[in-house]
Amino acid sequence: MTDIATLRRILATCRTIAVVGLSPQWHRPSFFAAKYMQAHGYRIVPVNPAAAEILGEPSHPSVTEAARVLAVKGERIDMVDCFRRTEDIGPIADEAIAIGAKCLWQQIGVVNEEAAARARAAGLDVVMDRCVKIEHARLFGGLNWAGVNTRVISSRRPQQLPY
């Protein structure tokens, strides 16, 4: 399990997210999660070979191609967020390592231990079986963005990211 301090650090430092398997369909979980993160100041880089553009950003056929396009502009991918099946994560992890990403994030239901071990050995943070949107909302006070009543009354403000 990734502890809260580590999740906060990852979400505070990884500001450009390549979302592998990002769907252009508004009702898909990948679209909703990416739209939420984009609305909260993150740069979303869609990776979907079947789409030309998603959420106003050009879509790329692979993480490597996305990194190459961003490098031309002097930018880089910090996190590779995977909305793919567990068995598809291995090559994606290898791409994340090759481009020098800081984090490999596997969404809810996705747990590839072999790929995670390779990523950790290369120095990447690895998060598995968690949703980046849910963790951001839980840790930075965004649960109400989706109309969730947390039933918590507090005089303490949630810690916010500096954006």
Side-chain angles (χ1 to χ4, degrees):
M1 287 294 263
T2 308
D3 61 281
I4 289 174
T6 302
L7 290 172
R8 277 189 191 275
R9 179 183 52 77
I10 291 168
L11 291 170
T13 59
C14 294
R15 305 299 300 169
T16 302
I17 305 172
V19 184
V20 181
L22 177 55
S23 174
Q25 299 175 9
W26 67 269
H27 56 82
R28 303 291 299 166
S30 61
F31 186 91
F32 186 74
K35 183 175 176 112
Y36 170 91
M37 296 306 284
Q38 189 178 55
H40 284 81
Y42 290 82
R43 168 84 187 275
I44 299 300
V45 180
V47 177
N48 182 336
E53 182 180 291
I54 304 171
L55 292 171
E57 295 283 346
S59 185
H60 304 279
S62 69
V63 173
T64 304
E65 178 61 19
R68 187 191 65 72
V69 170
L70 264 61
V72 170
K73 300 175 189 175
E75 301 172 9
R76 62 182 299 239
I77 293 170
D78 299 320
M79 177 193 297
V80 177
D81 184 12
C82 305
F83 278 92
R84 300 289 305 174
R85 293 186 309 247
T86 299
E87 56 270 17
D88 297 338
I89 301 301
I92 297 167
D94 294 337
E95 283 187 283
I97 293 164
I99 66 164
K102 297 177 190 174
C103 178
L104 175 68
W105 192 297
Q106 298 177 46
Q107 282 293 328
I108 293 175
V110 181
V111 178
N112 187 318
E113 293 289 352
E114 291 175 12
R118 286 198 310 273
R120 279 191 200 100
L124 278 72
D125 286 314
V126 177
V127 179
M128 294 187 291
D129 198 24
R130 290 182 185 253
C131 175
V132 69
K133 182 253 177 261
I134 292 170
E135 294 305 319
H136 182 276
R138 180 173 72 95
L139 299 173
F140 297 104
L143 284 174
N144 61 351
W145 195 75
V148 175
N149 181 356
T150 61
R151 298 181 189 263
V152 175
I153 299 173
S154 174
S155 62
R156 297 181 70 195
R157 288 181 177 229
Q159 181 181 348
Q160 298 292 326
L161 288 175
Y163 47 74

